[in-house]
Amino acid sequence: MTDVARAGDQLYLLTPSNPDPTEAYLQVTPTGANSLQIESASGFGPVGEQVRYERDDDDQITSVWIGGAQAWPTQAFLARRSDLARGPLPGGA
């Protein structure tokens, strides 16, 4: 899971499940209604790549692209994974 957080006048992508979410971050700048540009990283990261939100007809976020990686809300991911595995996964949907 990744969150967008504001610190002063800057936006960052953080992973709240990390022991210290501020140790690994991506600094981003809005480039459109559904996109951000990755400007810098605390270490290795896809600097210069886009963060892009995909939305459904109700304007709900259905997935997020961070660089070349796509992520889904947990329940949507588990449902997709179950479909790929041809059955439910332990603890999944």
Side-chain angles (χ1 to χ4, degrees):
M1 179 169 62
T2 302
D3 285 346
V4 177
R6 178 182 291 269
D9 61 351
Q10 301 294 317
L11 293 175
Y12 297 91
L13 295 183
L14 304 173
T15 304
S17 60
N18 286 349
D20 181 355
T22 63
E23 284 186 359
Y25 63 84
L26 300 173
Q27 183 182 355
V28 295
T29 301
T31 56
N34 291 304
S35 61
L36 305 164
Q37 172 91 23
I38 300 171
E39 301 293 342
S40 66
S42 59
F44 176 77
V47 175
E49 298 280 341
Q50 291 286 310
V51 175
R52 183 172 43 94
Y53 297 91
E54 294 183 339
R55 297 178 182 269
D56 64 16
D57 292 338
D58 295 325
D59 207 33
Q60 297 298 307
I61 295 172
T62 58
S63 69
V64 179
W65 287 89
I66 301 175
Q70 187 176 18
W72 297 268
T74 302
Q75 290 305 316
F77 171 79
L78 291 173
R80 291 174 60 88
R81 181 65 182 105
S82 291
D83 288 345
L84 291 173
R86 293 188 168 80
L89 299 174

